[in-house]
Amino acid sequence: MRPVTGIKILGMRLGVVLLVSYWIVLFTGTHLPSTRVIAPQMNDKSKHFGGYFVLALLLCYVSHTNPKRTYPNASRFGSIAAVLFLYGCLDEWSQQFARGRHPDVWDLFADACGITSAILFYIVVKRLQRSISTPSTSSSGS
């Protein structure tokens, strides 16, 4: 069985297809007129946190670290955080033009918390995965 990263749809990696699809759905959902009927009953800040958590996680999954950089992981994850935070700013600003929506700095804060949490979660899971998959270097013949 091939890993998820190797699966391609229309010549594109599955992760990239999921990222682009999710980002389009997220953008559309945040710019539809505000209604209570289609939105799940949960706190607005939880929706922002969760939405940006998944977006950041997908972006971490499809991106790669450039080993030629001085601080490759800091560069990669810092870029992801910066791009998504700027997108969150643009998203909040543009909501003033959607009927029933308004920009909210606390929504942006929830977005930033979701981004940061996703990046930290991704780093921890990758390190755990690496430590489990590599055999221990200590010898057991003391």
Side-chain angles (χ1 to χ4, degrees):
M1 184 168 155
R2 290 190 316 182
V4 174
T5 54
I7 298 174
K8 292 192 174 193
I9 297 176
L10 301 173
M12 292 175 51
R13 287 179 27 218
L14 178 61
V16 173
V17 171
L18 290 173
L19 171 65
V20 170
S21 301
Y22 181 78
W23 209 328
I24 290 169
V25 168
L26 187 66
F27 178 82
T28 304
T30 59
H31 290 81
L32 290 174
S34 179
T35 64
R36 297 279 180 224
V37 178
I38 59 174
Q41 294 299 320
M42 64 186 323
N43 185 312
D44 175 51
K45 305 310 176 247
S46 298
K47 291 178 190 176
H48 279 268
F49 180 91
Y52 277 80
F53 182 91
V54 173
L55 185 61
L57 207 55
L58 285 169
L59 202 50
C60 287
Y61 181 72
V62 302
S63 64
H64 298 285
T65 300
N66 183 353
K68 294 179 183 177
R69 299 256 178 160
T70 307
Y71 299 102
N73 285 331
S75 175
R76 172 186 174 193
F77 296 119
S79 296
I80 290 170
V83 165
L84 291 183
F85 184 75
L86 289 174
Y87 172 71
C89 291
L90 177 68
D91 186 45
E92 285 302 317
W93 174 80
S94 64
Q95 284 184 21
Q96 67 185 325
F97 304 112
R99 188 183 48 188
R101 300 261 183 196
H102 61 279
D104 183 4
V105 71
W106 291 109
D107 288 348
L108 186 60
F109 180 73
D111 298 344
C113 289
I115 294 164
T116 305
S117 297
I119 291 171
L120 293 173
F121 177 77
Y122 183 83
I123 291 169
V124 167
V125 167
K126 282 306 237 182
R127 287 197 178 161
L128 285 172
Q129 183 183 33
R130 228 179 281 132
S131 71
I132 291 170
S133 66
T134 55
S136 66
T137 56
S138 65
S139 59
S140 56
S142 324

